[in-house]
Amino acid sequence: MRAWSGGGGGGGGGAGVAVAWGSEWNASNLEELQNSGVQYILNVTREIDNFFPGLFEYHNIRVYDEEATDLLAYWNETYKFITRAAIWGPDRNKTACPPAAGNLGGQNGINIPMEDGQVFNALPPVVYRLLRVYVEVKFTLRDCNSLPGETFNLYYHESNDDREGYIKESSFTKVDTVAADESFTQVDVGDRIMKLNTEVRDVKVSTRKGFYLAFQDVGACIALVSVRVFYKTCPLTVRNLATFPDTVTGADTSSLVEVRGSCVNRSEEKDEPKMYCGADGEWLVPIGGCVCSPGYEERGGGCQ
């Protein structure tokens, strides 16, 4: 049996996301899938292939349809997949904002033009555990002898409300004081030379729905050019005939997130396949794996 996440009729944002159940016939009917707005398919079976891997994002739970099957063992990875589908909706490439989710991109991130005095909010794409996000700030510093200071302060505030009208300054937590490596002078302006500074800071956010960023001007001749907020993932991969899903890294720089793999088509579990997603987005310590079912042989990372 398969479950998929479709667009539904609720308009933009997560409110319009629906979960439908279907049989092999539904899963192989491309016209029905497209008309229903399906983008994600959860395949809970060993016997049925992923019919359209280039058109939809699949997640496989390779189990037999038997009463003795322990489906609870796959609860975490199934929940994560459906949660991600509900938040990202039709945008699966993570290079743009999730619907109604503020300014937060995927590992590639997005650039946000800055306006004077603007405070940005962002909803994390993973709301079921702690998350480490990265803030990349691009800015210029003019060499102003009449003004003191060559820095600005970066703050954040976590919240469940993306429309807070007023936030007390004391509610913000300081991330860091950001300093420029290079400044430009009046001579550089005449020569049309702009020296751009790029600084990256990381923030560990909790399970609240989002957070605000604030930039405090302390009197320097600084102009913010852009802000990019992103998180890191270990990408979808196949190792030892087991598929490991795209996985968000842990909240700490030393975190290792344990991930259970799913055997590829026409293969069976030999030893429970596991890997660990490192904080830098690299897969580590592969354990166990799968073997091809009788009558099939390993070829090109799959069984044929």
Side-chain angles (χ1 to χ4, degrees), residues 179-191:
D181 293 324
E182 291 188 287
S183 62
F184 65 91
T185 64
Q186 189 64 38
V187 175
D188 294 323
V189 174
D191 294 336

Side-chain angles (χ1 to χ4, degrees), residues 100-102 121 123 159-164 212:
N121 65 63
L123 296 185
S159 175
N160 289 321
D161 184 0
D162 64 346
R163 297 183 183 276
E164 288 195 47
Y212 291 82

Side-chain angles (χ1 to χ4, degrees), residues 91-124:
D91 183 11
R92 296 185 288 124
N93 60 20
K94 296 190 298 184
T95 58
C97 297
N103 297 310
L104 184 65
Q107 193 161 4
N108 292 329
I110 52 176
N111 288 308
I112 309 166
M114 293 296 299
E115 298 177 8
D116 290 341
Q118 188 167 358
V119 177
F120 286 93
N121 65 63
L123 296 185

Side-chain angles (χ1 to χ4, degrees), residues 47 63-71:
E47 298 86 357
V63 294
Y64 291 108
D65 189 9
E66 299 174 349
E67 186 176 351
T69 299
D70 181 17
L71 291 177

Side-chain angles (χ1 to χ4, degrees), residues 14-36:
V17 175
V19 177
W21 296 89
S23 64
E24 180 179 4
W25 184 90
N26 300 113
S28 62
N29 189 330
L30 180 59
E31 182 178 0
E32 180 187 12
L33 294 174
Q34 292 179 328
N35 289 341
S36 300

